[in-house]
Amino acid sequence: MEPGDARRPGFGRAARAPPRRLLLPPLLLSLLLGRGLRVAAAASASSGAAAEDSSAMEELATEKEAEESHRQDSVSLLTFILLLTLTILTIWLFKHRRVRFLHETGLAMIYGLIVGVILRYGTPATSGRDKSLSCTQEDRAFSTLLVNVSGKFFEYTLKGEISPGKINSVEQNDMLRKVTFDPEVFFNILLPPIIFHAGYSLKKRHFFRNLGSILAYAFLGTAVSCFIIGNLMYGVVKLMKIMGQLSDKFYYTDCLFFGAIISATDPVTVLAIFNELHADVDLYALLFGESVLNDAVAIVLSSSIVAYQPAGLNTHAFDAAAFFKSVGIFLGIFSGSFTMGAVTGVVTALVTKFTKLHCFPLLETALFFLMSWSTFLLAEACGFTGVVAVLFCGITQAHYTYNNLSVESRSRTKQLFEVLHFLAENFIFSYMGLALFTFQKHVFSPVFIIGAFVAIFLGRAAHIYPLSFFLNLGRRHKIGWNFQHMMMFSGLRGAMAFALAIRDTASYARQMMFTTTLLIVFFTVWIIGGGTTPMLSWLNIRVGVDPDQDPPPSNDSFQVLQGDGPDSARGNRTKQESAWIFRLWYSFDHNYLKPILTHSGPPLTTTLPAWCGLLARCLTSPQVYDNQEPLREEDSDFILTEGDLTLTYGDSTVTANGSSGSHTGSTSLEGSRRTKSSSEEVLERDLGMGDQKVSSRGTRLVFPLEDNA
């Protein structure tokens, strides 16, 4: 071997020795491979068993969470039921002790506040902090998200926007989350019985006596109040911006929206005290009528402001085309909602008239309830306003359908909606107190709150006093200064303002509006509601008045030279005071609509043309011919003048002054002194005098007067 060979690779002993390899026989190799496969299979089986155990544990945890959620739901509902129970018992105690400084709604709010404090500061956090996930590629929020977590999909729903400064202070108490209701619960479940009851229990006599004034306060007054409050609050917002207290955007349209929702008055406390003390019926009618229609106007007005969309880049600048479009939307929504509510009431009246449902009071009451409630949902589904629809549905049901119901169903429907109204209203006020501490998106701004109180006061003053001045120019019975001061004082805010404010709390501006609205409701219900009784005494407003009693006649109203007694004078006074709007449709309603939709009124065969004889016979109820169910026309004493109405019964034409005659001629004045005919008896019954005992019938002279507004 040469010397250099040892340094070359592959040479030498080590290089020359063959490499060691592990050579396994085929049988042993197969055995080892089989064992390895079995080991791998065993490992895989162990992993599968662990996955099954993990899945079972997850299902068990999910079931426990569902059970815990169900328990918390039950506790939250039980909390509100106990609040209502405690409120009812305290109301009984207050009524027993004749305590009037605090109304039931204010009491419900106090109990709600107490429970809210306990839930806020007395219950520990029960859930862990959730992990925040970033979706930077998305430019909008989705209402529903499907999240893939280790191959399992979970669905999440949108709760609302959270400002960056409050991302770490999101409430983790599950109980507080449970007692925070979806705003749609207020609109679809709690508001319908409240609004329907307002229309169904309307005292038509006093309402229509002041119909012109009520419409002026409700429509024109609400619009004036909205724009005054909105413009004043826009100035407050500009001041906050200068002071550096405005941390986000607050537009002029937001201020107008706040003016619309806060213009919805709810003097439930004042009206309850009026009813208990039997305050002046005209003042009660003005306040009640304004609040009923005012809620409807406020919600449609707020919807119109939201629909305001100017063209161009600046979507919050004034645009004449967008303004008139919003006005058109207001008129369209209001008229469409009104029509839908009236049509639903008419359909219910026809169903109850031409079926035998009165033989089954339970079915009759159930149908009445469902038709009335469905009006609200139908209007909302069609893009109209359910509040307006259900209000006029209630008025239509009271005017027509109520006459077709059995005696038992009449009592049931009245009591049913009265109870639902009471529970829903007190539930809302209890929730108001609770929401002050459990709501997670409050924005407290002292400047905005103080400015809102000042703006509301000025808006109410500009609403009441100028309108009253102009209305008094056309009224024989003036709205006195004491009435005006009381109406100014009674501008409470309540359930409707709260429901409109809580419906949308996504933005910074809406959250500030909600917080301010809540505080305004607290103040007006507690302070103004509690001061109602002293204010009545200070303003010298009559109390202890029979609702059917009218003020004593005066020389500037009318003069009865010779009459039939106090009852006759009361009937004549009512007719003299009726609004001209009501008189325009009363004759048509009495001669055509009432006979078509109810079992009362003159037969259509005597009021429709001869060529409509077949249709008249089909639509006229047999009770009208047989006179089996004579029904009193409760609204017939609203006619202004006795000569305005001419009724035809059989072959006699009867006018409202008591004279009658054949179709070929007319009777003289002496006919009024004759023995009353059957037609006169029917007319007197229709005019609300059939159940009054008249000892003598004299001749009366009533001077013609100007109409009430």
Side-chain angles (χ1 to χ4, degrees):
M1 182 177 70
E2 298 180 0
D5 295 338
R7 296 189 296 268
R8 294 170 62 182
F11 288 88
R13 183 177 182 182
R16 290 194 299 265
R20 295 183 177 182
R21 297 178 182 175
L22 182 60
L23 300 177
L24 298 176
L27 179 60
L28 181 60
L29 180 60
S30 63
L31 291 176
L32 290 176
L33 288 176
R35 183 179 180 183
L37 291 175
R38 286 194 297 269
V39 170
S44 176
S46 176
S47 176
E52 291 180 359
D53 293 341
S54 177
S55 178
M57 293 297 293
E58 289 181 1
E59 292 179 359
L60 182 61
T62 302
E63 291 179 358
K64 288 184 178 180
E65 289 180 0
E67 183 179 354
E68 180 67 18
S69 177
H70 173 72
R71 187 187 66 83
Q72 291 178 354
D73 288 338
S74 302
V75 171
S76 62
L77 292 177
L78 179 62
T79 300
F80 285 102
I81 291 177
L82 292 178
L83 278 175
L84 293 177
T85 304
L86 186 60
T87 302
I88 291 173
L89 293 176
T90 312
I91 290 170
W92 168 82
L93 180 63
F94 278 21
K95 290 183 178 294
H96 182 69
R97 299 294 183 182
R98 299 183 182 275
V99 176
R100 297 191 180 95
F101 67 87
L102 185 63
H103 187 249
E104 59 199 42
T105 54
L107 190 65
M109 293 171 68
I110 292 177
Y111 286 145
L113 281 172
I114 295 174
V115 175
V117 171
I118 295 174
L119 292 178
R120 180 73 179 186
Y121 302 105
T123 57
T126 55
S127 66
R129 173 109 15 217
D130 296 331
K131 181 180 178 180
S132 300
L133 299 178
S134 299
C135 299
T136 56
Q137 296 180 353
E138 303 297 337
D139 57 354
R140 64 185 181 89
F142 295 93
S143 59
T144 303
L145 286 179
L146 292 178
V147 181
N148 186 351
V149 181
S150 300
K152 295 182 179 180
F153 290 90
F154 298 89
E155 181 182 1
Y156 294 86
T157 57
L158 179 67
K159 292 288 292 184
E161 182 183 1
I162 301 173
S163 60
K166 296 185 177 181
I167 190 66
N168 295 322
S169 61
V170 177
E171 185 56 57
Q172 294 297 309
N173 193 321
D174 287 340
M175 191 60 195
L176 294 184
R177 289 180 175 179
K178 293 294 183 182
V179 297
T180 304
F181 285 92
D182 189 339
E184 295 302 318
V185 172
F186 293 98
F187 261 78
N188 296 330
I189 297 178
L190 298 178
L191 275 186
I194 295 176
I195 303 300
F196 182 86
H197 178 263
Y200 194 54
S201 62
L202 186 69
K203 296 183 182 299
K204 292 181 292 183
R205 177 181 174 222
H206 305 295
F207 179 83
F208 286 108
R209 173 191 295 179
N210 300 278
L211 182 61
S213 300
I214 290 172
L215 291 177
Y217 286 126
F219 284 87
L220 187 58
T222 304
V224 170
S225 176
C226 168
F227 283 97
I228 288 179
I229 294 175
N231 283 279
L232 290 176
M233 293 311 299
Y234 187 64
V236 173
V237 169
K238 288 294 186 181
L239 178 63
M240 292 174 60
K241 188 175 182 180
I242 295 174
M243 297 173 61
Q245 297 188 7
L246 199 64
S247 59
D248 208 337
K249 297 178 180 179
F250 208 120
Y251 297 106
Y252 178 68
T253 52
D254 294 327
C255 297
L256 288 180
F257 180 81
F258 178 73
I261 65 174
I262 208 64
S263 296
T265 59
D266 186 17
V268 57
T269 304
V270 176
L271 293 177
I273 295 175
F274 279 13
N275 191 38
E276 184 178 355
L277 297 178
H278 299 290
D280 190 282
V281 290
D282 285 329
L283 178 60
Y284 183 93
L286 288 173
L287 278 174
F288 180 78
E290 180 204 1
S291 65
V292 167
L293 295 179
N294 167 272
D295 289 346
V297 174
I299 189 173
V300 179
L301 191 60
S302 62
S303 301
S304 303
I305 294 173
V306 171
Y308 178 78
Q309 294 291 339
L313 297 177
N314 190 356
T315 58
H316 295 275
F318 178 78
D319 188 343
F323 172 77
F324 287 108
K325 181 180 178 181
S326 296
V327 173
I329 291 175
F330 174 85
L331 297 176
I333 292 178
F334 196 93
S335 58
S337 304
F338 165 79
T339 303
M340 188 167 292
V343 168
T344 306
V346 167
V347 170
T348 310
L350 291 174
V351 171
T352 54
K353 176 183 178 181
F354 291 105
T355 60
K356 297 293 184 180
L357 277 174
H358 63 272
C359 300
F360 305 95
L362 179 61
L363 300 180
E364 190 178 36
T365 305
L367 178 67
F368 183 91
F369 174 80
L370 294 176
M371 292 292 291
S372 302
W373 201 304
S374 63
T375 305
F376 183 93
L377 301 177
L378 179 62
E380 292 289 335
C382 294
F384 296 108
T385 301
V387 171
V388 179
V390 78
L391 170 63
F392 287 100
C393 176
I395 296 175
T396 307
Q397 300 278 46
H399 189 60
Y400 298 114
T401 311
Y402 184 81
N403 295 325
N404 300 334
L405 301 178
S406 61
V407 176
E408 187 175 355
S409 294
R410 293 182 185 183
S411 176
R412 282 181 176 179
T413 54
K414 286 283 188 181
Q415 295 175 359
L416 173 63
F417 281 100
E418 185 177 4
V419 171
L420 290 177
H421 163 265
F422 173 82
L423 293 177
E425 192 167 54
N426 282 277
F427 183 93
I428 290 179
F429 278 94
S430 298
Y431 184 77
M432 288 183 194
L434 201 68
L436 186 63
F437 292 96
T438 60
F439 189 72
Q440 304 175 21
K441 303 175 183 178
H442 282 303
V443 177
F444 292 93
S445 175
V447 177
F448 190 86
I449 293 172
I450 295 174
F453 274 99
V454 174
I456 289 171
F457 177 82
L458 296 178
R460 184 70 178 173
H463 169 186
I464 295 297
Y465 295 114
L467 276 180
S468 299
F469 171 78
F470 288 109
L471 289 172
N472 281 336
L473 297 178
R475 289 178 60 101
R476 295 297 301 178
H477 298 279
K478 311 297 183 184
I479 302 175
W481 283 106
N482 56 346
F483 278 22
Q484 296 179 38
H485 295 329
M486 193 68 216
M487 293 179 68
M488 170 69 189
F489 180 79
S490 303
L492 282 75
R493 271 63 178 178
M496 180 57 67
F498 173 79
L500 289 173
I502 200 176
R503 197 174 191 181
D504 182 8
T505 56
S507 65
Y508 169 82
R510 298 298 175 88
Q511 293 168 10
M512 186 183 296
M513 292 180 202
F514 172 73
T515 303
T516 305
T517 301
L518 200 58
L519 295 177
I520 290 172
V521 172
F522 287 164
F523 178 84
T524 55
V525 171
W526 288 339
I527 305 302
I528 297 180
T532 300
T533 303
M535 184 63 68
L536 285 172
S537 176
W538 185 65
L539 294 175
N540 296 322
I541 295 176
R542 298 187 309 157
V543 294
V545 179
D546 184 357
D548 293 327
Q549 177 184 351
D550 291 308
S554 59
N555 293 331
D556 62 346
S557 58
F558 67 93
Q559 183 178 1
V560 178
L561 299 183
Q562 183 179 355
D564 299 331
D567 293 334
S568 175
R570 182 186 66 82
N572 290 329
R573 177 182 177 84
T574 304
K575 286 178 282 196
Q576 289 292 338
E577 293 176 338
S578 301
W580 64 270
I581 299 176
F582 184 79
R583 300 195 321 274
L584 291 178
W585 71 274
Y586 176 81
S587 180
F588 175 79
D589 174 70
H590 186 274
N591 290 334
Y592 301 104
L593 295 183
K594 274 292 184 68
I596 292 175
L597 302 177
T598 68
H599 299 296
S600 62
L604 289 172
T605 52
T606 61
T607 57
L608 288 176
W611 56 272
C612 297
L614 179 61
L615 180 64
R617 286 190 294 271
C618 293
L619 295 178
T620 302
S621 176
Q623 284 89 338
V624 176
Y625 295 107
D626 301 337
N627 199 25
Q628 294 177 357
E629 294 185 17
L631 299 176
R632 174 183 174 181
E633 294 283 353
E634 297 180 354
D635 57 346
S636 57
D637 57 349
F638 303 145
I639 307 172
L640 177 68
T641 59
E642 298 185 345
D644 286 344
L645 178 64
T646 301
L647 304 178
T648 304
Y649 288 86
D651 58 349
S652 299
T653 300
V654 186
T655 59
N657 60 3
S659 61
S660 63
S662 63
H663 288 296
T664 58
S666 59
T667 41
S668 61
L669 185 62
E670 296 178 357
S672 62
R673 301 187 182 95
R674 298 175 183 173
T675 304
K676 291 184 291 184
S677 64
S678 60
S679 299
E680 287 178 308
E681 292 174 356
V682 172
L683 178 62
E684 288 189 358
R685 185 187 69 240
D686 288 340
L687 292 178
M689 300 170 58
D691 57 348
Q692 301 172 1
K693 183 177 180 181
V694 182
S695 57
S696 63
R697 183 177 180 88
T699 304
R700 58 182 180 273
L701 175 63
V702 181
F703 292 127
L705 298 175
E706 299 177 11
D707 305 340
N708 261 10

